[in-house]
Every structure is written in structure tokens, then in C-alpha cells.
């Protein structure tokens, strides 16, 4: 699993290959110095060089004045700055070619706009064939096959990449069918596991014409303002947000997602020039992401960075507001904020302020002097110092696990009018920094049972399992249980307990009235005995992209329980006997048979 999950590559391989493909796509979109030069106008990734038309056996006339190999457009013919590409070669220390790349150029003149009219209809494919035949010949001459070729491009180039992917089984006798295809900020999307498309949800070009087979069909799907339809595809990142200055003002900027709004193009430009795609791939939380996870990456300018909270927000391009999200900062000082669901927040460099309020939150401040801001009064929280050096903050509204945090503050009151209380992190607790104003009100670290990275059996009122497959049991009191990494089995016992599964696929058992269960990341199983008299809450049932949680009913009560489900506000309520289950934030119509309810 991972945001850039592709083929059978491991997480690290997938991230590395995507970063390489982006580097090739961007650098190859820049004009070369001259035909035959081995030096591009922009630095290529290490170990890569240009392949000239002469080396490919092509007519030098196919090279335009910018150093691109051109191919004919049915609309504009062989005109300069029409359809262009570069062929690049990866070489070893001896100069032997070990890999090849076909990189389609992005839009670099108004002439290219005309080719958008025919791209969805695949009219450009036959024109690609002479160059592709030459690439095949060069590959075979060097002992390579189609699997050793990368096809990539940004924007218009990403669209060309998708079109070639669509026809790869037949073009040049299917030689490129097993090549790696990476489209960046592509308007066209080919629905196939042959290709991975990466772009920002708030990029007006990414997915703009989707899988339509004609330009005008795509236009008909947009509204009169030519807004970008926020649709989901199986081969593209659909909830990846660059939180830039335009996105920050989305509530007040009309037509923020329209092709007609010049400001809306900033995310498209920054996708090529910035490092947000790389930051997401390097995230500590990358292995928890799914291709359709909500991932919000800071892209604010200096003027707004100190004042605006980077977060999952309601915006014209968003259909995921309120879902579990990953929020990633920058190397500058950012302000990051959680939402109402489970969130993972990472500050990276700079002096960050990270605000959390509810749900299960995992925070990593990164480098710098970072501040964790908790919503509410200090007395609302119980604080634990864990064996791995992180801190845990438990309250009635959620649990936050924080590492690489240097200071803590509490914000009590209405947003914008909060009273801020600052605390330093001491060896035995949080130390009130302004105690002279009201008397010392330190918060001592509380004791907890803690596991190891192995398989532990743990019992107590406050438990943190850490790693491994743990068996965790509470007491007759109100307990706080957190499984950590690993597939854990948890039950609270008597009392109104809070069960947090953490990472991986956990099994959480409801035992008594007032239990609240939160599986965290992974495919979790929530277990219920319909013989008990209780009202219990499941806080995150299938709340994150890729989750496949299950409700497990003992005593063969699944069908009756499903039949009882009804909508109450934003929640689904299930009643059976004396048991009431509340699925927080779940649409009752989304539940169905054995897929979600098992006996």
C-alpha cells in the first residue's frame, strides 16, 4: 500500500520510480541546447542522457529548433512547437544503455492547445509510431525489452502518456505493453493498472477530460464555467491536495476550480516546479496511505504561512471533507490542523504549530522547535510519556500521540478568541510556563502499562501496546487502550472504555455501555454481543480510503442487525435487542450484506 502504489513494486521502489519518472518528465520538457547534444537545458536525473535523432536512426529534420523530436499532428502538421517528445537513456559506468524513457513534452506554445481537441480521440497515436519503432530498435540492440522502458510526461505530455497506454497492446506490435507508464497532471485518464496518474485534486488540468473519448464529450461533463469535474478514477490520485494560496481562499474565490480562472492554474504550475509530490513520498506516514487517501501538502507562500492553517477543508474541488487525512508541512514553519476524523500530521522542517482537536491523531513535528496546540483546557487531558519518547494526550474527544514536539499549549474558548496556556515538557510532566499569573498548574505524566515490539499480553486501566500482535484487556473501570502497530485483540471489560486499535488490522470487542471504539488504520473488526445492554460508538468505520472494516455480530444476528439500521443525522444507528450501535459519520445506505456485516 502507498499513495504511489504501482504494479508489484515495494513502497520504497514505487516512491523511487515515481520520483525518477517525474524528474525525467520535467527535465525533458525543457528545450535542449542543440540537436545531438547530450546536455539538456535542465539537469536530468543522474545517469541519464539525451538520445539524439541520429542515434535513433531518425531523419534529423524531425528535430525542431528547441531540440525536441517532433511528430506530426493531424491538425497542425509538422509545425514548430507541435507534438514533441524526448528519448532518454540510462547508462552504466561503461556507457552501456540499461534503460530507456519516452518523455512527451508538456504545453509550451499556444499551438499545443489545438492538440487537446484531438487527444481524447486518439488521433495522435499513429503519428507516434515512427519514433516508437526507433525506440524499440534501440532497445533490442542493447538487449532490452519493453519492461526496460519508462513512458512519462507532464500535463499535455501526461495526456499523451495515457493515450499511448490505452493503445499499448497494439502499437508497435505491443512492445510497450509492459512498460512503466507515469502520467503527471494529465487531463486524460486511462483506466488500467498499466498506468499511474499523479496530480493534485485542485489542479485544473489533472483529470479534466477524464476517460472521455472525445474532447467535446469531456466539455459536456463540465459546467458552463469549465470547472474541473472532481471525479474518481482507479488509476489516479483523486484526493491529493496542494494547499497553496489559492486553495486557502477557496471559500471566497469564485470559480476557483475553473480553467478560466488564472489563479486556479497555480497548482498545475507548482506541481512541476515544487516538491510536494516528493514530500508526500518521503512522509513518515507514507506506508499508511492509499492511492485515494486524503493527502494535504502545504504549499503556502511566506505571507500566508504564519497565519493560515493547512488542513482538510471544505472547498469546491473536495468531496472528502471530514474524512481521515494526512497533513504534511514543508521545510519552513507551518501551521497544520486536524479535522474531525483520524488524522496524521507531519511538520517536517521549520518551527511548526500543529493543532489537534478530536479523533485519533498521530503527530510528528519533525525538525525545528515545534509546538503542539491542544483544543480545550489543561484539565481536560491526561498525559502519558511513552517508552519510545513520544507523548500521549487523552481527553473525552480523542487521543493524540505526538513525537518530536518541543512545547505544548492548550487553547480554551471560541476559535480566534482562545485563551492560550503554554507548557514546557519536563522530565516528569508538563510544566506551566506562566504559573506566576495564576499559581502553578503543572500536569504530571500518568502511569500506563506499556508493551514491547513483540507479542504481549497486557491488562490495565491505561495501556499502550506499541508494536507486535498484542492481546489487550481492560479492567472493570473506564479504561484507555491503544494497540499501536500490529494486529491487536482488544476488549475493555466493564466500564465505559475507549479502545484505539492503532495501525494494522485489529479486533475490538464491545463489552459495556459507553464503550467507544476506533480501529485507526487498517481493516479492523468490531465485535458485538447482542445480548448485552449497552450503547456503543464506532468512531471510524471505513472512514479512511482503502479501509475494509467489518462489524461482527455474535449469536447469528447480522441480518437482523442490518435490517434495523437507520440514519440519525450524520450517523447510522443499529439496534438489536438491548444493544445500540452508533456508527459515527456513516451513511446507512452504504451498508450492505456480508460485505460489511458478518455473522
Amino acid at each position: 500500500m502507498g499513495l504511489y502504489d504501482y504494479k508489484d513494486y515495494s513502497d520504497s521502489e514505487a516512491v523511487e520510480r515515481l520520483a525518477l519518472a517525474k524528474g525525467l518528465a520535467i527535465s525533458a520538457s525543457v528545450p535542449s541546447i542543440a540537436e545531438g547534444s547530450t546536455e539538456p537545458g535542465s539537469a536530468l536525473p543522474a545517469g541519464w542522457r539525451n538520445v539524439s535523432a541520429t542515434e535513433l536512426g531518425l531523419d534529423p529534420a524531425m528535430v525542431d529548433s528547441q531540440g525536441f523530436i517532433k511528430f506530426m499532428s493531424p491538425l497542425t502538421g509538422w509545425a514548430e512547437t507541435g507534438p514533441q517528445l524526448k528519448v532518454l537513456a540510462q547508462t552504466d559506468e561503461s556507457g552501456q544503455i540499461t534503460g530507456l524513457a519516452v518523455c512527451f513534452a508538456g504545453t509550451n506554445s499556444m499551438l499545443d492547445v489545438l492538440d487537446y481537441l484531438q487527444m481524447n480521440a486518439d488521433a495522435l497515436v499513429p503519428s507516434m509510431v515512427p519514433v516508437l519503432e526507433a525506440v524499440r530498435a534501440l532497445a533490442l540492440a542493447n538487449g532490452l525489452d519493453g519492461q526496460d522502458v519508462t513512458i512519462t510526461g507532464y500535463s499535455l505530455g501526461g495526456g499523451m502518456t495515457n493515450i499511448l497506454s490505452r493503445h499499448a497492446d497494439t502499437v508497435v506490435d505491443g512492445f510497450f505493453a509492459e512498460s512503466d507508464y507515469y502520467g503527471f497532471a494529465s487531463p486524460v485518464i486511462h483506466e488500467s493498472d498499466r498506468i499511474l496518474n499523479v496530480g493534485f485534486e485542485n489542479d485544473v488540468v489533472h483529470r479534466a477530460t477524464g476517460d472521455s473519448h472525445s474532447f467535446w464529450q469531456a466539455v459536456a461533463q463540465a459546467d458552463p464555467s469549465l470547472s474541473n469535474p472532481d471525479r474518481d478514477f482507479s488509476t489516479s490520485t483523486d484526493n491529493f491536495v496542494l494547499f497553496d494560496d489559492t486553495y486557502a481562499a477557496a471559500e471566497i474565490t469564485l470559480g476557483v476550480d475553473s480553467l478560466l480562472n488564472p489563479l486556479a492554474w497555480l497548482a498545475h504550475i507548482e506541481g512541476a516546479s515544487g516538491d510536494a509530490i516528493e514530500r508526500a513520498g518521503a512522509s513518515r506516514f507514507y506506508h499508511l496511505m492509499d492511492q485515494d487517501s486524503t493527502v494535504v501538502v502545504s504549499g503556502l507562500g511566506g505571507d500566508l504561512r504564519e497565519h493560515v492553517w493547512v488542513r482538510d477543508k471544505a472547498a469546491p474541488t473536495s468531496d472528502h471533507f471530514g474524512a481521515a487525512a494526512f497533513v504534511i508541512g514543508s521545510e519552513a514553519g507551518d501551521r497544520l490542523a486536524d479535522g474531525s476524523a483520524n488524522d496524521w500530521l507531519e511538520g517536517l522542517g521549520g518551527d511548526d504549530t500543529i493543532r489537534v482537536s478530536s479523533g485519533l491523531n498521530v503527530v510528528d513535528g519533525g525538525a525545528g522547535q515545534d509546538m503542539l496546540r491542544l483544543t480545550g483546557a489543561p484539565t481536560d487531558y491526561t498525559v502519558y510519556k511513552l517508552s519510545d519518547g513520544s507523548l500521549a494526550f487523552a481527553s473525552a474527544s480523542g487521543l493524540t500521540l505526538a513525537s518530536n514536539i518541543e512545547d505544548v499549549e492548550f487553547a480554551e474558548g471560541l476559535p480566534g478568541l482562545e485563551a492560550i496556556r503554554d507548557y514546557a515538557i519536563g522530565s516528569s510532566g508538563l510544566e506551566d510556563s506562566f504559573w506566576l499569573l495564576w499559581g502553578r498548574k503543572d500536569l504530571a505524566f500518568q502511569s500506563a502499562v506499556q508493551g514491547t515490539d513483540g507479542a504481549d499480553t497486557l491488562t490495565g486501566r491505561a495501556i499502550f501496546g506499541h508494536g507486535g500482535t498484542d492481546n489487550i484487556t481492560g479492567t472493570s473501570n473506564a479504561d484507555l487502550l491503544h494497540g499501536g502497530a500490529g494486529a491487536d485483540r482488544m476488549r475493555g471489560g466493564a466500564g465505559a472504555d475507549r479502545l484505539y486499535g492503532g495501525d494494522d488490522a485489529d479486533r475490538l470487542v464491545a463489552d459495556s455501555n459507553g464503550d467507544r471504539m476506533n480501529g485507526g488504520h487498517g481493516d479492523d473488526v468490531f465485535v458485538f454481543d447482542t445480548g448485552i445492554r449497552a450503547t456503543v460508538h464506532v468512531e471510524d468505520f471505513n472512514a479512511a480510503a482503502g479501509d475494509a472494516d467489518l462489524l461482527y455480530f455474535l449469536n447469528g444476528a447480522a441480518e437482523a442487525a442490518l435490517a434495523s439500521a437507520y440514519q440519525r443525522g450524520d450517523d447510522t444507528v443499529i439496534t438489536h435487542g438491548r444493544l445500540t450501535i452508533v456508527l459515527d459519520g456513516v451513511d446507512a445506505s452504504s451498508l450492505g450484506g456480508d460485505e460489511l456485516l458478518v455473522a
Side-chain angles (χ1 to χ4, degrees):
M1 183 179 290
L3 183 64
Y4 308 139
D5 186 36
Y6 182 52
K7 293 187 174 178
D8 294 324
Y9 297 132
S10 66
D11 280 353
S12 59
E13 288 174 325
V15 169
E16 181 180 354
R17 286 173 177 270
L18 182 99
L20 173 62
K22 184 196 170 192
L24 295 172
I26 300 304
S27 58
S29 290
V30 178
S32 297
I33 296 173
E35 151 64 3
S37 171
T38 58
E39 297 295 330
S42 177
L44 286 166
W48 287 80
R49 66 170 176 84
N50 276 342
V51 176
S52 70
T54 301
E55 185 177 358
L56 287 166
L58 297 173
D59 186 344
M62 293 180 67
V63 180
D64 64 20
S65 60
Q66 296 180 319
F68 292 101
I69 296 173
K70 59 185 179 180
F71 53 99
M72 189 181 71
S73 165
L75 291 180
T76 61
W78 290 95
E80 284 282 304
T81 72
Q84 303 161 311
L85 59 80
K86 287 189 179 181
V87 178
L88 306 175
Q90 184 180 32
T91 58
D92 60 19
E93 294 180 355
S94 68
Q96 175 66 37
I97 294 177
T98 59
L100 292 168
V102 176
C103 306
F104 293 100
T107 304
N108 53 24
S109 78
M110 291 303 296
L111 192 67
D112 285 327
V113 176
L114 294 175
D115 285 319
Y116 278 90
L117 301 176
Q118 60 187 342
M119 189 164 45
N120 290 71
D122 306 333
L124 289 162
V125 174
S127 300
M128 301 176 184
V129 170
V131 179
L132 295 176
E133 288 179 334
V135 173
R136 177 180 62 176
L138 181 62
L140 294 174
N142 285 273
L144 306 178
D145 60 24
Q147 292 183 347
D148 301 307
V149 181
T150 298
I151 315 292
T152 188
Y154 192 91
S155 190
L156 174 64
M160 301 286 192
T161 301
N162 276 268
I163 294 304
L164 180 54
S165 171
R166 186 184 292 170
H167 292 271
D169 287 325
T170 57
V171 170
V172 194
D173 301 322
F175 182 79
F176 299 99
E178 300 302 321
S179 298
D180 284 354
Y181 288 79
Y182 295 96
F184 295 93
S186 172
V188 179
I189 301 296
H190 177 214
E191 285 281 71
S192 166
D193 57 8
R194 176 177 287 147
I195 187 168
L196 174 64
N197 285 286
V198 174
F200 300 123
E201 171 187 281
N202 53 315
D203 178 346
V204 292
V205 175
H206 179 53
R207 306 170 298 156
T209 60
D211 57 353
S212 303
H213 282 254
S214 76
F215 176 80
W216 299 113
Q217 179 186 3
V219 169
Q221 295 174 352
D223 63 24
S225 68
L226 292 184
S227 64
N228 190 341
D230 184 26
R231 291 177 290 161
D232 295 331
F233 296 99
S234 64
T235 62
S236 65
T237 56
D238 297 318
N239 301 304
F240 190 9
V241 175
L242 179 65
F243 199 110
D244 59 8
D245 292 10
T246 301
Y247 196 79
E251 295 96 334
I252 60 175
T253 306
L254 297 178
V256 69
D257 59 337
S258 170
L259 289 164
L260 303 178
N261 180 1
L263 293 176
W265 285 79
L266 292 179
H268 186 66
I269 297 169
E270 292 162 356
S273 61
D275 66 347
I277 290 175
E278 290 81 358
R279 272 184 280 149
S283 170
R284 167 193 162 183
F285 305 122
Y286 175 84
H287 67 289
L288 301 177
M289 298 177 188
D290 183 87
Q291 181 178 296
D292 283 327
S293 291
T294 300
V295 181
V296 182
V297 182
S298 175
L300 292 173
D303 292 342
L304 293 182
R305 195 180 297 120
E306 296 181 1
H307 310 288
V308 174
W309 293 101
V310 176
R311 66 198 191 281
D312 179 31
K313 61 178 285 184
T317 60
S318 172
D319 62 358
H320 50 71
F321 178 59
F326 297 86
V327 183
I328 301 172
S330 67
E331 292 305 313
D334 298 294
R335 294 164 72 87
L336 311 179
D338 73 331
S340 58
N342 299 342
D343 296 291
W344 296 261
L345 303 98
E346 184 173 17
L348 299 181
D351 299 339
D352 307 305
T353 299
I354 302 176
R355 184 183 72 192
V356 295
S357 55
S358 62
L360 176 59
N361 298 301
V362 182
V363 173
D364 187 336
Q369 190 73 19
D370 302 308
M371 175 72 74
L372 177 66
R373 177 180 293 183
L374 296 139
T375 302
T379 52
D380 294 337
Y381 289 85
T382 304
V383 188
Y384 305 88
K385 187 171 185 178
L386 306 184
S387 57
D388 62 2
S390 63
L391 300 178
F393 301 83
S395 72
S397 58
L399 175 67
T400 294
L401 306 174
S403 59
N404 295 315
I405 292 295
E406 286 68 44
D407 293 288
V408 177
E409 62 185 15
F410 297 89
E412 184 178 11
L414 297 174
L417 300 173
E418 301 103 327
I420 305 295
R421 296 277 295 273
D422 186 60
Y423 281 74
I425 301 173
S427 58
S428 59
L430 302 183
E431 300 171 353
D432 191 346
S433 299
F434 298 101
W435 62 271
L436 288 174
L437 298 178
W438 44 65
R440 185 174 292 278
K441 295 183 180 179
D442 295 345
L443 293 177
F445 294 139
Q446 301 300 303
S447 61
V449 175
Q450 299 191 51
T452 66
D453 287 336
D456 303 304
T457 298
L458 308 169
T459 301
R461 293 192 60 179
I463 299 176
F464 295 90
H466 295 298
T469 301
D470 304 317
N471 192 350
I472 297 174
T473 307
T475 68
S476 60
N477 299 293
D479 306 314
L480 171 68
L481 312 178
H482 182 266
D488 306 305
R489 299 172 66 92
M490 312 174 67
R491 66 185 312 154
D497 306 308
R498 300 188 68 95
L499 284 67
Y500 296 93
D503 297 345
D504 301 308
D506 305 303
R507 185 181 180 93
L508 293 75
V509 181
D511 278 321
S512 58
N513 187 48
D515 282 355
R516 301 190 68 90
M517 300 188 292
N518 187 315
H521 179 273
D523 300 337
D524 305 303
V525 179
F526 301 94
V527 182
F528 307 94
D529 184 344
T530 55
I532 66 173
R533 181 174 185 173
T535 297
V536 298
H537 282 254
V538 178
E539 296 181 344
D540 71 329
F541 187 69
N542 285 332
D547 279 0
D549 297 336
L550 292 173
L551 304 177
Y552 188 96
F553 290 89
L554 303 176
N555 307 320
E559 292 184 4
L562 176 60
S564 75
Y566 67 94
Q567 198 73 34
R568 186 176 69 191
D570 294 331
D571 308 326
T572 291
V573 178
I574 297 172
T575 59
H576 189 77
R578 298 182 298 175
L579 174 66
T580 299
I581 303 167
V582 182
L583 305 179
D584 295 348
V586 172
D587 187 343
S589 64
S590 68
L591 301 178
D594 291 338
E595 181 181 0
L596 299 178
L597 293 156
V598 299

